Amino acid sequence: VMEQELLAYRSCQRVLAVHEEERRILAEQIKPIPVTTIPISLAVPGRPLRRQPAKTAVFVGALDYAPNRDAVRYIAREIFPLVRKREPDAELRVVGLMRRRAQLPREPWITYTGYVPQLDDALGDVAVAIAPLRLGAGTNVKVLSLLGRGLPLVATRRAIEGLGLQDGQEVVSSEDPAVMAEAIIQLMRDQDEATRLGEAAHAFALKRFHWETTAPDVARLYRNGFEEVRFRIESHQNESYAKEL
């Protein structure tokens, strides 16, 4: 599949990536085709979501995607048992399209909602969002959606890679399940810290990723890119015409 993708990229005049690391890898693989990072854009609410938090953590992601299934299993086996030792009422809510329930952990404290048309409907009583992704690559748009709603987030570095978030400022980031469990517990218990972290995450998403902020850069990138492609095509046509003469 990878080789087929590379062939498709090499047939283009320019390739757009949404992640700087992805851009770097592709640029090495498909030289001399230019690869450009396009700004990530999404609708960020003007204010954080109003919530009445309970002892509920949420994971959001389509469960047909193997890295998301791995993350849910990781939560159920390594992280949440540590949380429930100290917070026995803590629950995990998993939100996302689901067709393979048999491959997912079954615990009385895990609720699978499946796909929800309005994500906000599943977040009103959430204390903390978690994204312990260990597999996969690229930008996690669901993570951005959670940040944009002002949820405090505990995540691995892979889940927030390339977003520019600072550990302890807009997110809590760790690869250690014990550290992640401790952060989840503290954010369930300390509403002031949860609010601070969530508001910082929302402000960051609003400033960096809201479409009204990024639209001019996206439009300029497309405009300049198409002009460059047109110039290259015309130059190639002129060279071919000159050879015929």
Side-chain angles (χ1 to χ4, degrees):
V1 176
M2 183 62 178
E3 188 56 38
Q4 292 176 343
E5 290 180 1
L6 292 176
L7 287 173
Y9 294 141
R10 293 184 184 116
S11 71
C12 300
Q13 297 290 330
R14 174 177 288 275
V15 174
L16 301 178
V18 296
H19 192 284
E20 182 57 28
E21 181 65 14
E22 183 181 70
R23 185 208 64 76
R24 184 188 64 78
I25 294 171
L26 279 177
E28 288 294 322
Q29 294 287 329
I30 64 174
K31 289 179 179 179
I33 306 298
V35 184
T36 304
T37 303
I38 186 170
I40 303 166
S41 304
L42 71 161
V44 178
R47 295 181 179 180
L49 181 68
R50 289 188 176 185
R51 296 175 296 121
Q52 296 293 328
K55 296 294 176 67
T56 303
V58 69
F59 174 87
V60 178
L63 298 176
D64 286 350
Y65 184 49
N68 287 341
R69 293 197 301 275
D70 174 78
V72 173
R73 288 192 287 264
Y74 183 48
I75 297 169
R77 295 169 183 169
E78 304 291 335
I79 300 173
F80 232 70
L82 299 177
V83 173
R84 285 180 54 84
K85 280 184 179 180
R86 292 166 56 194
E87 290 291 343
D89 295 334
E91 296 183 352
L92 173 66
R93 181 175 301 154
V94 179
V95 179
L97 185 65
M98 176 179 60
R99 295 193 181 96
R100 302 176 183 178
R101 177 67 183 270
Q103 299 182 17
L104 295 168
R106 298 171 181 265
E107 299 289 350
W109 39 267
I110 301 178
T111 300
Y112 295 96
T113 70
Y115 171 76
V116 293
Q118 297 295 327
L119 181 58
D120 290 359
D121 293 343
L123 304 178
D125 60 347
V126 167
V128 56
I130 49 180
L133 295 173
R134 302 185 294 177
L135 307 173
T139 300
N140 192 316
V141 178
K142 289 299 184 184
V143 164
L144 288 177
S145 297
L146 295 170
L147 295 174
R149 285 165 169 80
L151 268 73
L153 176 69
V154 178
T156 54
R157 285 190 295 271
R158 185 180 293 274
I160 60 172
E161 188 177 24
L163 299 180
L165 295 159
Q166 298 181 73
D167 180 30
Q169 297 297 315
E170 301 93 9
V171 65
V172 177
S173 179
S174 178
E175 310 306 304
D176 186 334
V179 173
M180 299 185 82
E182 179 65 26
I184 292 167
I185 291 166
Q186 293 307 314
L187 290 168
M188 285 181 172
R189 292 177 175 179
D190 188 343
Q191 288 304 308
D192 289 340
E193 175 59 15
T195 298
R196 182 203 67 78
L197 193 67
E199 288 181 349
H202 172 263
F204 184 89
L206 193 63
K207 180 179 179 181
R208 291 281 299 274
F209 303 113
H210 187 39
W211 68 268
E212 289 186 354
T213 301
T214 60
D217 290 336
V218 174
R220 183 165 52 252
L221 188 151
Y222 274 105
R223 183 169 58 250
N224 294 342
F226 282 129
E227 284 297 315
E228 179 182 329
V229 168
R230 183 177 63 81
F231 174 78
R232 292 175 65 189
I233 291 174
E234 290 178 352
S235 298
H236 177 73
Q237 290 173 340
N238 290 338
E239 289 176 4
S240 299
Y241 180 69
K243 289 179 180 179
E244 290 176 3
L245 292 177

